[in-house]
Amino acid sequence: MPSIHLVSNLPGVNALGDHLRAAGLGPTSQRSADALLVLIDRPLDHVEQELLDRARQSVPVLLAGPTVRSLPADSPLVEASGLTPGRVPPAYELALVPGPDGAALGARLGSFAPRDSWIIPDKVAEDVERLLMVRHEMGEHPICTWRPSTGLGVFTLGTSGDVLADPRYHRLVGRWLRHALGAADDGPVKAGLVGAPDVFGVHVTALADVEGLELAALCDGGMARTPGQDAERRARLVDDPDDLVNDPELGLVIVATPTHTHAEWARRALEAGKQVVVHAPLCLTTHEVDELTELATGRSRLLAVYPAGRDDPDHLAVREAMRRGEIGEPMWIEIFSGGLRRPAGTWHDDERISGGLIFDRGAAPLARILDLVDDQVEWVSATGHKRVWHHVTNADHARVLIRFAGGCEAQVTISDVAAGVRPGTRVLGTAGTLVAGGPDTRPGPDARDGLGGLGGRRSPRLVTHDGRRTTLPTPPADPARFHRDLADALLAGWPLARDPLERDRTLVSVLEATRRSAAAGGALTTPA
């Protein structure tokens, strides 16, 4: 892997450096670097200018963020870039699009619309590659470039702390570096999907939308047609899931089977040498998590968990508000999901197959709580009631209480007997309260998504102790975000922009503890 020397005086650049380090791109000394990446907001002194000029003669030099606007107009670096800097518009949400030379850089760009200022160039030399453009004032202007003849690139995005901290910006910088170094992505990865039709629809749609991933085979339990695809793009249907995981054509297997078989099919796929994604939760026990992690590490294979619910726009808005300190220190989090509805009687309602009501529909809201509170779980307490729907084995109503080491507490309630209760999320802090979700009026299976009542109803609201009420901005829905990150990991070696697998192990350990606690009548139980 190439190595990068990062030169910066910006306080928010550490996250970018960490991301490049995780991708194997640095850091290293300037003398041994394959490329130099510079982000500074002050003029270069004479020594620094000479240093970069010498480096540019042997390795690529990439100027990002506020660097170019900090250079004098007569700087040799400005001349070598092939750009004549012009005016700087005020910060606003930028509409980024791939440039005529930036197909690889713009691949899997998604809905990234950073709020930042940038430079509109007055002139661009003919031999400058235009990699990424900004739509502005009825035209498109380059914001990211590379000039092979001089070995110098410019990327004027990255002047704000929010952008510097965004993993999507890190990924663009990484692709820019790879382009300058002549590194190309691997070819498309063919994926096989094994699972239940009511679970894997999100994966079918995303695989069809993400460049670099191709749904080639599907084992769906006899469903005649792949949802979300036209006849020309239909995946090959496979009757036996064992044939799918051992298909030499496939590089990736996505396991979206009923929960009690996750560990089995993930293990079989890893043993067959596949990269593996498992629909959350990963499995039913931490022992299984540890076995799968050890197997994936030993085979040098990727094992990842699809984070159901954590990419929900309302959840992301709540999480960002908490990280900004809008409510002070969190004290209490409450998520309610459900309503009054008769269970359909599918495998989701069978305790032996789904793991029970909490495993099946509590995994996503519990994962959200673990995403909101970065602290060790001290104990959990869980109870369940079975009094109304006797045609299924899952509980009718369940409650999980979590205590974190720092004192924050959280509760998740899942119910099929709660008439008139408002599904949603509430986060109480020392300085205010966040509220997300609203009345859940959706009938049928859509209301059983286990997402904690956050999806698509009322925007999250912030109420502070001084009486201020604010509607939080929410990012656009991005259902293929995980799959784009997955494609980058498989095609270019970038780390997944997710929590490490340890977070998924923590979720399984909490779920496992809820089972023990419920069996003991709600006793306080420490996760393994």
Side-chain angles (χ1 to χ4, degrees):
M1 289 287 288
S3 55
I4 307 301
H5 181 66
L6 176 61
V7 180
S8 180
N9 70 329
L10 303 182
V13 82
N14 289 340
L16 172 59
D18 291 343
H19 185 83
L20 296 176
R21 184 181 301 109
L25 290 174
T28 189
S29 66
Q30 179 174 303
R31 179 171 298 179
S32 60
D34 296 299
L36 269 67
L37 175 62
V38 185
L39 292 98
I40 57 173
D41 60 359
R42 57 168 174 75
L44 295 172
D45 60 31
H46 181 70
V47 174
E48 291 171 328
Q49 183 77 54
E50 288 186 350
L51 195 64
L52 287 180
D53 287 340
R54 288 201 305 269
R56 188 169 49 81
Q57 297 172 11
S58 56
V59 301
V61 172
L62 305 178
L63 310 178
T67 306
V68 169
R69 69 182 69 177
S70 301
L71 299 174
D74 59 351
S75 167
L77 294 175
V78 174
E79 180 182 356
S81 73
L83 300 179
T84 302
R87 62 189 178 91
V88 179
Y92 64 94
E93 285 193 358
L94 306 179
L96 304 179
V97 294
D101 306 296
L105 193 74
R108 302 179 293 276
L109 184 60
S111 58
F112 184 39
R115 183 177 181 81
D116 206 352
S117 61
W118 58 293
I119 296 175
I120 299 178
D122 285 338
K123 186 178 180 181
V124 182
E126 292 184 359
D127 64 338
V128 170
E129 295 180 354
R130 306 175 190 215
L131 305 178
L132 202 61
M133 313 290 284
V134 172
R135 288 179 177 155
H136 180 69
E137 294 180 352
M138 305 299 291
E140 292 186 352
H141 309 273
I143 193 173
C144 181
T145 63
W146 169 245
R147 196 179 193 187
S149 63
T150 61
L152 198 140
V154 172
F155 192 7
T156 57
L157 180 66
T159 66
S160 73
D162 288 344
V163 173
L164 285 172
D166 196 312
R168 293 169 293 181
Y169 175 67
H170 305 161
R171 195 66 50 90
L172 285 176
V173 171
R175 291 181 187 170
W176 180 40
L177 284 164
R178 283 170 57 85
H179 181 87
L181 293 166
D185 288 352
D186 293 334
V189 174
K190 292 188 175 182
L193 179 55
V194 54
D198 59 347
V199 176
F200 63 43
V202 61
H203 301 288
V204 173
T205 303
L207 289 171
D209 292 341
V210 173
E211 181 180 343
L213 298 179
E214 175 188 342
L215 180 56
L218 184 148
C219 184
D220 60 5
M223 188 175 65
R225 180 177 174 86
T226 305
Q229 291 190 320
D230 55 38
E232 290 74 27
R233 302 184 65 181
R234 238 162 131 187
R236 173 169 47 86
L237 297 180
V238 179
D239 294 329
D240 188 340
D242 197 56
D243 291 340
L244 185 143
V245 299
N246 287 287
D247 187 337
E249 180 187 37
L250 304 179
L252 168 69
V253 170
I254 299 177
V255 178
T257 59
T259 311
H260 75 310
T261 63
H262 282 185
E264 174 188 359
W265 289 112
R267 175 181 56 79
R268 292 193 188 190
L270 288 169
E271 289 175 344
K274 311 302 184 188
Q275 316 284 4
V276 177
V277 170
V278 182
H279 201 92
L282 177 54
C283 46
L284 295 178
T285 69
T286 52
H287 177 69
E288 292 172 330
V289 175
D290 294 339
E291 284 189 335
L292 292 175
T293 302
E294 182 179 355
L295 179 58
T297 301
R299 300 294 179 96
S300 298
R301 299 289 90 182
L302 177 142
L303 174 63
V305 179
Y306 174 71
R310 279 190 288 158
D311 277 345
D312 176 85
D314 285 3
H315 171 72
L316 295 176
V318 168
R319 187 184 67 182
E320 291 308 307
M322 292 179 65
R323 291 183 176 179
R324 291 192 301 267
E326 298 276 11
I327 62 167
E329 292 295 322
M331 300 165 55
W332 172 257
I333 303 173
E334 184 174 4
I335 298 180
F336 175 83
S337 176
L340 176 61
R341 56 180 65 84
R342 187 179 193 274
T346 67
W347 67 266
H348 292 281
D349 305 308
D350 189 328
E351 186 173 18
R352 298 165 301 175
I353 299 175
S354 67
L357 184 66
I358 295 174
F359 259 91
D360 186 62
R361 290 164 54 195
L366 285 170
R368 282 175 164 168
I369 287 173
L370 295 175
D371 195 37
L372 296 176
V373 183
D374 186 16
D375 196 6
Q376 182 178 353
V377 176
E378 191 172 85
W379 52 257
V380 302
S381 171
T383 57
H385 296 271
K386 185 64 184 171
R387 305 188 183 189
V388 180
W389 306 121
H390 297 290
H391 65 292
V392 295
T393 56
N394 271 3
D396 304 323
H397 179 97
R399 184 272 303 160
V400 178
L401 181 64
I402 304 174
R403 169 82 178 190
F404 290 93
C408 181
E409 293 181 324
Q411 179 172 284
V412 171
T413 305
I414 313 104
S415 182
D416 284 331
V417 294
V421 181
R422 293 171 61 92
T425 294
R426 286 170 176 77
V427 184
L428 172 65
T430 56
T433 301
L434 290 163
V435 181
D440 188 352
T441 59
R442 296 171 296 167
D446 286 345
R448 295 170 53 81
D449 58 8
L451 300 185
L454 289 181
R457 291 182 290 279
R458 298 180 61 187
S459 295
R461 289 89 68 198
L462 166 67
V463 183
T464 57
H465 289 175
D466 59 5
R468 178 170 56 94
R469 296 174 178 267
T470 307
T471 297
L472 299 179
T474 56
D478 190 1
R481 182 174 181 176
F482 169 81
H483 298 81
R484 286 197 305 274
D485 289 347
L486 175 65
D488 278 339
L490 298 178
L491 300 175
W494 294 108
L496 282 172
R498 301 280 154 184
D499 296 320
L501 203 57
E502 286 80 4
R503 180 63 63 91
D504 297 291
R505 187 189 189 280
T506 300
L507 173 61
V508 173
S509 72
V510 168
L511 289 167
E512 199 175 15
T514 66
R515 181 187 290 119
R516 299 196 304 271
S517 175
L524 305 186
T525 306
T526 302

